[in-house]
Amino acid sequence: MKITFYGQNTLALKIGDINIIVDPFITGNDLAKDKVDINKLKADYILLTHAHQDHILDAEAIAKNTGAMIVSNFEIAGHYEEMGFEVHPMNHGGSWDFEFGNLKYVNAVHTSSFPDGKYGGQPGGFVLEGEHKNIYIAGDTALTYDMKLIPMRTKLDLAVLPIGDNFTMGIEDAIVASDFIECDKILGCHYDTFGYIEIDHEEAKRKFYEKNKDLMLLDIGESIEL
C-alpha cells in the first residue's frame, strides 16, 4: 500500500492496481494548489469523510475526470448521485467488501454540511482492511472513547489522525487517541492549511517520540509505503 499526502486531509492510496483519493481539497489549498494537478490524479474510488469544503472541494472534478465511485455517508452519496455520479452509500458501523479490501465507516465527533449549508449527514472516519495492511483514516474528529472499539476488531498498521487543534484534536489528544486505537505509527493531517491550525512540527514530533510513538508529517506530494 502506497500513501501520498496532498495537504490538509487529502490522501492518495494505491493498493495493488486500485487508486483511491481521500477528501480531495487541493485547488483551494494555497499550500498544495501549485504543487498538485488534480487533472493528473488517478482515482477508482473517492472516499469522503464529511461534507465540509476542505474535504470535498475537488471531488466533483476528479470524479468527472476519472469516473471514480464516490464512497461516503448516505447523505453525501445521495448528493453526488443526484449529480449523476456513481456512488456507494454507507453509514456508521457498516462495512463493505470492495475490490481493494474491507471498508468500515466509523464514528467521528465533528459537524458536516456542504458549503451552501445543505445537510451533509453525520461525519465519520474509515477503517480499511487491505490484504496485507490495515489503516484508520479518522477524518475530522475530537478525541472520542469510540476509538477504543477499533482495535477490538482490527489490528492497525497506520492511523491518519488530525493534529491541528481548534477544529479537531490537537497533539495531546491525538497521542491519547493513538493509545485508544493501539497504534503507535501515526500520519498527521489537518494542520498548517489555515492560521487556526498551524503547528510547530518539531514540537509535535517530540511529544509523540516521548511517548514512544512515531508521528510522520509528510511534505505535500511525499509518499510512504506500508
Side-chain angles (χ1 to χ4, degrees):
M1 183 186 300
K2 181 179 180 180
I3 303 171
T4 304
F5 179 64
Y6 287 133
Q8 190 64 345
N9 206 60
T10 308
L11 304 169
L13 311 180
K14 187 171 180 58
I15 304 174
D17 295 328
I18 305 300
N19 292 284
I20 303 168
I21 299 290
V22 180
D23 286 351
F25 175 71
I26 294 169
T27 59
N29 182 352
D30 288 340
L31 302 178
K33 64 183 182 181
D34 295 328
K35 299 179 180 179
V36 183
D37 183 354
I38 65 169
N39 295 308
K40 294 182 179 179
L41 295 179
K42 297 178 180 179
D44 300 294
Y45 297 89
I46 298 171
L47 309 185
L48 302 177
T49 60
H50 64 292
H52 286 164
Q53 184 183 47
D54 60 320
H55 293 255
I56 68 161
L57 181 64
D58 298 314
E60 182 178 346
I62 294 171
K64 282 182 178 178
N65 289 341
T66 63
M69 174 186 287
I70 296 174
V71 181
S72 191
N73 67 36
F74 182 82
E75 288 78 9
I76 293 175
H79 170 85
Y80 286 103
E81 187 174 38
E82 289 177 359
M83 299 170 68
F85 294 106
E86 184 180 6
V87 304
H88 183 104
M90 300 190 75
N91 220 320
H92 298 90
S95 61
W96 188 262
D97 288 325
F98 291 91
E99 58 184 324
F100 55 80
N102 182 271
L103 191 69
K104 185 170 186 176
Y105 192 67
V106 297
N107 289 347
V109 177
H110 196 59
T111 56
S112 179
S113 58
F114 288 93
D116 63 1
K118 179 181 176 181
Y119 177 56
Q122 296 299 308
F126 293 101
V127 175
L128 193 166
E129 295 186 6
E131 183 177 356
H132 302 292
K133 300 293 182 179
N134 303 325
I135 68 170
Y136 168 44
I137 301 169
D140 284 9
T141 187
L143 175 65
T144 168
Y145 217 65
D146 286 341
M147 292 173 178
K148 280 183 168 283
L149 298 173
I150 293 173
M152 295 174 68
R153 293 282 302 273
T154 306
K155 179 175 174 56
L156 296 172
D157 297 288
L158 177 74
V160 184
L161 301 182
I163 57 171
D165 218 339
N166 195 71
F167 297 113
T168 68
M169 297 187 293
I171 298 299
E172 288 77 11
D173 280 357
I175 291 172
V176 177
S178 70
D179 287 335
F180 283 4
I181 60 177
E182 300 178 12
C183 182
D184 293 333
K185 190 170 186 176
I186 305 300
L187 176 59
C189 68
H190 210 277
Y191 63 91
D192 284 357
T193 315
F194 318 111
Y196 287 119
I197 59 174
E198 291 179 353
I199 67 168
D200 183 321
H201 290 210
E202 293 308 312
E203 181 183 22
K205 291 178 181 178
R206 176 181 56 78
K207 287 183 176 181
F208 271 79
Y209 180 79
E210 289 174 350
K211 298 295 184 179
N212 297 314
K213 301 175 188 293
D214 179 20
L215 174 65
M216 292 173 286
L217 302 179
L218 300 182
D219 293 332
I220 290 173
E222 188 177 359
S223 302
I224 59 172
E225 294 202 21
L226 296 179

